[in-house]
Amino acid sequence: MDQHFARTDMLPPLPPPIAERGAVKWMRENLFSSALNIVLTVLGVLAIFWLVKSSLPWWLNSVWNANSLSECRQIVAANAGEGATGACWAMIRQWWGAFIFGFYPPDQWWRPITAFGLLLSALAPVLFSGQKRNLIIVLGGVAVFLLVALTLADAPGGAFALAILLVAGLLGLALVQPGRLFWFTLVYPALCFWLLWGGPIWSPIVAMAGFGVLYAVFRLSSSVIGLAPAAGAGIVAAAFWWLYLEEPVVRALQTALPFALQSINSDQFGGFLLAIVIGVTGITFSLPIGILLALGRQSDMLIVKTLSVGFIEFIRGVPLITLLFTASLLLQYFLPPGTNFDIILRVIILVTFFAAAYLAEVIRGGLAALPHGQYEAADALGLDYWRAQRLIILPQALKVSIPSIVSTFIGLFKDTTLVAFVGLMDPLKGVTQIVRADINWKGIYWEPYIFVGIIFFVICFGMSRYSMYLERKLKTDHR
């Protein structure tokens, strides 16, 4: 008699072999997949072992409390024996203010601290537009930062209260109407200028009023003479305001309602304060200028295209250091006698133009990557040139160009160290040379460069991570 058996339940799945899962699989596929990979892996491990063996004692024997390099070496010798080496981070404890603020007066450090905190508040609506949760997190972090930093900096009571109240107001606005935070972003440049350079409060207010004049003239005349002539008329009106009316208006307002901060000269700026001022300003203004240059290079109008191509090719063909020397030495010869053109402003203008020329080519590549059907779709919808660019073409081109744009921004921020060659105290060369010239720290070498390099890495790595986040957020394809 035949007997049959039918299984009524499934066997549980067996785990994969040890060679096909976990760290063993990853190592086999990535480190030991071939003879060449095995050799490279062994050489890499040996190199890492040698680096760690050589540098680890230097890190472990670090000294954080000393008044000179010789005292550091004595402490290292007492703790680790004669001939031992160790990092002397006590130098950072004594000179951190110069690395961060340059020669900015210590009793005024609360001003760049406030400006930096408000910078984060002004960037938040741009970086996290429409994301209430992220806006609240950033503004809350800014409030905590200002509360701690201004307390440590012994900020005046009035300034401390105003800064905290301003951030609290922005936080409340983010909870109710986050879209209105863009108004603070527009006002921030004038507020930052006044905080950092000081002087009458009316100077930045009247300067910003020039943009109001430009907008008013443009709106009133655009329906009569067209967009391009109206834009030109607005620029002329704003220039007239800034050149001839701004100064007497500021004097009149200051006489009627005197309110000013202590003026700070540009030669007192230095360290990361200078790098952030130049870098953030250059990044902010180079992107719109680069977009206009990219559109101008693709224009059918001969004069516009010729000027755009000439500007881009000339700037890209000249080293940045040459432009900085031009801003520092030669530009003054072409200005009227007695003109005082601030050196930081000159450097910012040239750095902005330099970055804009490179961004123009990056954005032109994004425009060229779009299929021609996008332009035809804009025409089919009846959109004019500027509406088509704003609503259809540029959003796609900029999304494609995000990695290259952020790479240009990172390069621009790192290139701010070149201002040391025109007499400004950048954190890498200018401040470090001053530290090493101090008789107490003469002979120190690695510590200041490592400290500056870590801060640059943190800032640039943050920009890179935000770029990746933005790419993921805007990725609408289905690849």
Side-chain angles (χ1 to χ4, degrees):
M1 175 178 176
D2 293 336
Q3 293 183 352
H4 299 281
F5 174 76
R7 184 176 296 279
T8 59
D9 55 343
M10 295 292 293
L11 289 175
L14 297 175
I18 188 66
E20 295 297 330
R21 58 190 170 98
V24 174
K25 178 184 178 183
W26 183 89
M27 294 174 63
R28 185 171 61 83
E29 292 181 350
N30 295 278
L31 301 180
F32 305 104
S33 59
S34 65
L36 178 60
N37 275 353
I38 293 173
V39 172
L40 293 177
T41 299
V42 172
L43 292 177
V45 170
L46 292 176
I48 293 173
F49 175 78
W50 177 81
L51 287 174
V52 172
K53 181 182 178 182
S54 302
S55 62
L56 189 59
W58 185 80
W59 292 96
L60 294 178
N61 297 330
S62 298
V63 176
W64 293 89
N65 192 7
N67 296 318
S68 65
L69 182 60
S70 59
E71 185 178 347
C72 275
R73 290 172 175 170
Q74 292 173 5
I75 295 174
V76 171
N79 295 334
E82 293 294 333
T85 60
C88 188
W89 302 113
M91 178 274 304
I92 303 299
R93 291 188 61 181
Q94 289 197 4
W95 285 92
W96 70 269
F99 280 106
I100 302 300
F101 301 106
F103 300 112
Y104 212 87
D107 62 328
Q108 301 293 317
W109 281 358
W110 64 270
R111 289 161 56 177
I113 290 173
T114 305
F116 178 73
L118 296 180
L119 169 65
L120 300 179
S121 302
L123 289 177
V126 179
L127 301 180
F128 303 106
S129 177
Q131 303 177 46
K132 182 183 292 188
R133 178 174 176 271
N134 289 338
L135 286 174
I136 294 173
I137 291 174
V138 172
L139 293 174
V142 169
V144 174
F145 165 76
L146 289 179
L147 189 65
V148 175
L150 292 179
T151 302
L152 296 176
D154 293 327
F160 180 89
L162 287 175
I164 298 301
L165 285 175
L166 176 58
V167 176
L170 294 175
L171 189 57
L173 191 61
L175 291 170
V176 181
Q177 292 181 318
R180 293 187 178 274
L181 289 174
F182 281 105
W183 288 105
F184 177 74
T185 303
L186 296 176
V187 173
Y188 173 77
L191 178 60
C192 178
F193 176 85
W194 180 63
L195 283 172
L196 294 180
W197 274 271
I201 191 175
W202 305 109
S203 295
I205 293 176
V206 175
M208 291 293 288
F211 292 100
V213 172
L214 188 155
Y215 179 74
V217 172
F218 173 77
R219 285 298 301 269
L220 292 174
S221 59
S222 59
S223 59
V224 180
I225 60 177
L227 294 179
I235 293 173
V236 171
F240 181 82
W241 173 272
W242 289 322
L243 292 175
Y244 299 106
L245 298 179
E246 179 180 351
E247 188 173 350
V249 172
V250 170
R251 282 201 304 266
L253 291 173
Q254 183 65 13
T255 303
L257 298 171
F259 188 78
L261 289 175
Q262 175 185 336
S263 296
I264 306 295
N265 296 326
S266 292
D267 56 6
Q268 295 178 278
F269 283 64
F272 280 98
L273 171 61
L274 178 66
I276 291 175
V277 167
I278 296 175
V280 172
T281 309
I283 288 172
T284 302
F285 290 100
S286 63
L287 182 59
I289 295 175
I291 292 174
L292 293 177
L293 288 172
L295 296 177
R297 184 157 191 165
Q298 290 192 328
S299 175
D300 295 329
M301 294 184 285
L302 179 61
I303 296 179
V304 173
K305 183 173 183 177
T306 303
L307 291 176
S308 299
V309 171
F311 179 88
I312 292 171
E313 296 303 329
F314 171 75
I315 295 295
R316 293 176 69 223
V318 177
L320 177 58
I321 190 65
T322 303
L323 298 177
L324 293 177
F325 277 121
T326 301
S328 176
L329 303 174
L330 300 180
L331 190 61
Q332 198 72 19
Y333 291 108
F334 299 96
L335 298 175
T339 302
N340 184 19
F341 201 176
D342 189 88
I343 178 61
I344 294 182
L345 180 59
R346 283 181 271 169
V347 168
I348 287 175
I349 292 173
L350 269 298
V351 167
T352 300
F353 286 165
F354 184 83
Y358 281 86
L359 284 173
E361 289 300 283
V362 169
I363 295 168
R364 187 172 70 89
L367 293 171
L370 296 183
H372 192 67
Q374 298 296 319
Y375 296 88
E376 295 175 348
D379 294 337
L381 291 173
L383 300 177
D384 60 19
Y385 176 80
W386 292 108
R387 286 191 176 89
Q389 294 293 336
R390 181 171 63 89
L391 299 175
I392 295 180
I393 306 302
L394 281 178
Q396 299 180 73
L398 293 176
K399 185 181 73 170
V400 172
S401 307
I402 285 174
S404 299
I405 290 174
V406 175
S407 178
T408 304
F409 288 164
I410 292 174
L412 167 62
F413 183 70
K414 292 189 294 184
D415 285 344
T416 57
T417 56
L418 294 176
V419 300
F421 293 101
V422 294
L424 295 176
M425 292 296 104
D426 80 298
L428 185 63
K429 186 174 185 294
V431 177
T432 299
Q433 281 188 338
I434 295 174
V435 172
R436 296 175 65 189
D438 186 351
I439 190 65
N440 291 324
W441 303 105
K442 195 172 184 63
I444 198 165
Y445 188 80
W446 289 108
E447 291 86 343
Y449 291 119
I450 292 174
F451 175 71
V452 173
I454 289 174
I455 296 180
F456 267 110
F457 171 78
V458 169
I459 297 174
C460 295
F461 182 73
M463 287 193 282
S464 175
R465 298 301 298 179
Y466 178 77
S467 169
M468 298 172 64
Y469 156 79
L470 196 60
E471 287 182 67
R472 291 193 301 268
K473 177 187 173 185
L474 299 178
K475 187 175 182 180
T476 56
D477 54 2
H478 301 284
R479 289 178 297 176

